[in-house]
Amino acid sequence: MERQTDACGEGCAMKPWSLALCAALLSPGVFAAQDLELEAREAALAARLRCVVCQNQTVAESQAPIAKDMRKEIAVQLAQGRSDAEVVAFFEQRYGSFVRYAPPWKPSTWVLWCAPFVVLLGGLLLLWRTLRRRHQSVARPGLSPQERARAQAWLENRQDTPTPEDRP
């Protein structure tokens, strides 16, 4: 077997130990990148799930023992290669759809999703109706010709008679 030489004339055949050394040095970087990806997915999933004890915090925010167990279970399932949807489905099967911090769009949650908009629309409609009625009650029709003539006569008569301040 002939040895290949590089530009300097030296042999360029890699020794087995140098290949093993390169693999050992590069592998922690690969594992670290995978660990960072799993940690990011775990954090995202923990933020999407509700703590079943606290009920007003996500699993990521809660310090309850069950939330810690849920975070561990998320990490275990992600390490087993399950997708995000499979992990959420696992917790939803175990605790019900309440475990989702943002409920899904389905017939049983339509009221939950639509109620704020219906209430807002109803409030705006009530405000519009109240303002319209108030405007109509304030806006009076103009004076009739007879009322206008009577007011004009009263004003003219008022100007001709002296006021108490004008009398000596």
Side-chain angles (χ1 to χ4, degrees), residues 29-45 74-75 78-79 81-82 84:
V30 171
F31 290 129
Q34 289 174 349
D35 288 345
L36 289 176
E37 180 186 340
L38 283 178
E39 285 178 19
R41 284 180 60 203
E42 178 186 344
L45 280 171
I74 291 170
L78 289 178
R82 295 206 174 141
D84 293 359

Side-chain angles (χ1 to χ4, degrees), residues 153-167:
W154 181 80
L155 285 173
E156 288 173 2
N157 189 17
R158 177 106 170 117
Q159 290 174 354
D160 293 341
T161 58
T163 61
E165 294 97 27
D166 293 340
R167 291 188 187 154

